[in-house]
Amino acid sequence: ISLKNLGMSYGARDLFNGVSLQLNEGVRYGITGANGSGKSTLLKLIAGRDTATEGKVDIQKGTRIAYLEQNLPVGENETAIEIVIGGDAVLAKALKERDSADLDPMHAGEIEEIIRSHDGYRAESESARLLSGLGLPDEIHKIPAKKLSGGQMMRVLLARALFAKGEVLLLDEPTNHLDMPGIKWLENFLLFEFTGMLLLITHDRGFLSALSEQILDVDYKTITLFNMNYNRFVGARTLAAEQKEREAEAAKKKIAELTEFIDRFKAKASKARQAQSRVKQVEKIEIPDIIASSRRTPSFFFRYEREPGRDILNVHDVAMGFGDLKLFAGAEFLLRRGDKAAIIGPNGHGKTTLLIIIAGELKPLAGTVHFGHEVKLGYYAQVHEELRKLSEPMHEHLHQLHAQKAVKDVRTALGHMLF
């Protein structure tokens, strides 16, 4: 894949411009950059889902590109297995024609040859393997996909992209709906089974570190190739930015020194030639353009209004389930001041439910949840749809929740979170 003078803008906003890069067969590229810098746009341009403002993307003829769709129209009774097999459009078409009542006997042999060459007789078992690896159990492989949850459907679309067996695989946040075993399975698949070119966007630093061989960094309104993995890139990126700043400072300092000499001696006949020589030197000095990075870092801190006691949270013999579905029983733990605990487990086993119980928004079937003296709770939920329906500005909504705070404090808090 060749990017030739590639540029992309939305109105007056430039994402990147003048990008010329060669992307090579079989290399695993990690794509990094701030939110909104143009990472997903780059994948869409390569996948042909968007058109560049300037320049072009040249792709070697015959190259198959597999792209992780974020949305896909689904037939009324189309199953997960059928959606996955649809990732190989040629095979899916041949299988449909083979099973059609209108199949022309003259073309039957040709259809069978397409199915054989695409390993079509293993297509269903291979699709099932991909779906199971990504955490979707056998019992939902053949039910209508419209009955699947949003998270389950995203895993089906990921399996579809993997099944496509493209020479190029474009993955935009593939781990978002995977649990830890699913992430590890995908990592191993991409390391040991997939042999094509990978372009990967992910906020999972461990996943990116394990897979990246080279980095495409979308920043400073351009895309820079770093021939190294993510761990080495983090240090190299900082050094490169510092080096450019040092070069700019050195150039400015040199110009200032030469200009001072010119101003002092340009009127003296004995020094006129030297002054003129320095004028020419100033004209030749180029100060590197320092374009501001698109990366911004939120800043926040926690300050107790009153110091809590030693025991913070005591969960005792808590059980939870819904109907015949038993999630957990006998949950028992004590967290003390300063503790940090992670809740892990497969999808659908009650991690979020446990948090909702602790937050007091759901009553358990049995057991108790008790907070210690002076403990205040902050709860960040998985879904915030109710917030999206609010009509008032953000700062007004927050001020309603924290009426005791000054408006400037609320605005400062929003600013810390990059609003």
Side-chain angles (χ1 to χ4, degrees):
I1 296 177
S2 296
L3 311 182
K4 296 182 177 178
N5 198 34
L6 192 67
M8 193 65 186
S9 304
Y10 291 103
R13 181 166 171 253
D14 292 334
L15 292 179
F16 46 79
N17 50 63
V19 177
S20 295
L21 292 170
Q22 180 77 30
L23 306 180
N24 296 319
E25 181 182 359
V27 178
R28 297 192 301 270
Y29 295 95
I31 303 177
T32 59
N35 286 344
S37 62
K39 302 187 298 295
S40 296
T41 299
L42 175 62
L43 289 195
K44 288 176 184 175
L45 293 174
I46 293 172
R49 301 299 198 276
D50 211 339
T51 304
T53 309
E54 62 180 35
K56 61 179 179 176
V57 178
D58 272 352
I59 299 172
Q60 187 175 317
K61 192 174 180 181
T63 301
R64 292 170 300 168
I65 294 183
Y67 176 59
L68 174 55
E69 302 283 357
Q70 302 298 314
N71 225 320
L72 191 75
V74 175
E76 190 64 36
N77 294 307
E78 197 171 6
T79 67
I81 289 281
E82 290 169 338
I83 292 170
V84 173
I85 293 175
D88 185 336
V90 174
L91 173 61
K93 184 181 179 205
L95 290 171
K96 191 173 181 180
E97 288 181 1
R98 183 196 65 181
D99 298 335
S100 170
D102 301 325
L103 176 63
D104 183 348
M106 296 290 289
H107 294 295
E110 185 182 327
I111 295 294
E112 287 297 327
E113 180 53 36
I114 292 173
I115 293 171
R116 268 197 300 272
S117 65
H118 284 251
D119 210 7
Y121 294 105
R122 292 184 59 252
E124 191 166 315
S125 61
E126 175 62 9
S127 299
R129 182 179 78 91
L130 295 173
L131 290 169
S132 297
L134 295 171
L136 292 174
D138 294 350
E139 56 266 24
I140 67 171
H141 290 183
K142 293 188 177 182
I143 66 171
K146 288 197 168 183
K147 294 185 177 180
L148 301 179
S149 69
Q152 289 172 329
M153 191 62 197
M154 283 308 301
R155 281 178 274 168
V156 173
L157 295 178
L158 176 54
R160 177 187 171 96
L162 301 180
F163 182 85
K165 301 181 180 70
E167 286 84 19
V168 178
L169 177 59
L170 311 177
L171 297 181
D172 191 346
E173 297 292 355
T175 64
N176 273 3
H177 298 279
L178 299 179
D179 55 19
M180 290 172 70
I183 292 173
K184 192 62 187 174
W185 181 92
L186 179 59
E187 181 184 311
N188 287 335
F189 181 93
L190 295 173
L191 282 173
F192 304 118
E193 293 192 47
F194 179 70
T195 57
M197 179 200 296
L198 173 67
L199 284 97
L200 170 69
I201 300 171
T202 177
H203 283 93
D204 186 327
R205 287 181 296 176
F207 191 69
L208 185 59
S209 299
L211 288 168
S212 61
E213 295 175 308
Q214 297 186 29
I215 296 294
L216 295 170
D217 188 46
V218 187
D219 199 3
Y220 306 106
K221 296 187 179 179
T222 189
I223 302 174
T224 307
L225 175 65
F226 289 80
N227 189 11
M228 59 190 69
N229 65 19
Y230 177 73
N231 289 337
R232 288 179 56 208
F233 155 75
V234 172
R237 179 188 66 200
T238 304
L239 286 174
E242 290 174 351
Q243 176 66 24
K244 202 163 188 179
E245 288 177 5
R246 283 196 295 269
E247 289 174 4
E249 286 303 315
K252 290 175 184 176
K253 185 177 179 182
K254 184 68 175 175
I255 289 172
E257 291 171 354
L258 293 171
T259 302
E260 184 185 2
F261 183 93
I262 294 164
D263 291 342
R264 282 177 61 194
F265 297 112
K266 63 185 176 183
K268 290 191 176 182
S270 60
K271 297 279 188 178
R273 182 174 292 179
Q274 293 178 44
Q276 190 58 37
S277 171
R278 282 164 172 75
V279 169
K280 291 178 180 178
Q281 289 180 49
V282 169
E283 290 171 352
K284 290 179 181 178
I285 295 175
E286 292 185 9
I287 300 175
D289 290 334
I290 304 296
I291 300 172
S293 171
S294 58
R295 286 180 168 86
R296 297 288 182 270
T297 305
S299 62
F300 53 90
F301 50 89
F302 300 103
R303 189 181 290 142
Y304 298 141
E305 292 181 7
R306 294 185 182 84
E307 187 76 11
R310 186 183 67 161
D311 292 351
I312 299 295
L313 171 63
N314 191 350
V315 172
H316 174 64
D317 200 26
V318 167
M320 193 61 200
F322 300 96
D324 294 334
L325 176 64
K326 305 302 179 190
L327 292 175
F328 49 80
E332 185 91 28
F333 55 89
L334 171 67
L335 297 180
R336 290 190 161 141
R337 188 174 57 241
D339 284 349
K340 295 176 177 64
I343 301 176
I344 63 173
N347 285 342
H349 280 56
K351 302 186 299 296
T352 299
T353 300
L354 178 59
L355 275 190
I356 294 172
I357 290 170
I358 292 171
E361 296 189 2
L362 185 64
K363 186 174 175 59
L365 296 178
T368 58
V369 174
H370 179 70
F371 286 98
H373 181 65
E374 294 290 359
V375 171
K376 287 191 174 181
L377 178 71
Y379 175 48
Y380 180 79
Q382 191 175 49
V383 179
H384 299 270
E385 284 305 314
E386 70 282 358
L387 285 176
R388 297 174 65 86
K389 297 172 186 172
L390 296 173
S391 57
E392 70 263 29
M394 284 190 293
H395 73 279
E396 289 182 12
H397 174 68
L398 281 180
H399 198 238
Q400 288 172 18
L401 297 177
H402 303 279
Q404 76 281 10
K405 301 284 187 184
V407 174
K408 67 178 178 62
D409 294 332
V410 172
R411 288 187 177 276
T412 299
L414 285 168
H416 284 159
M417 296 305 293
L418 308 184
F419 290 105

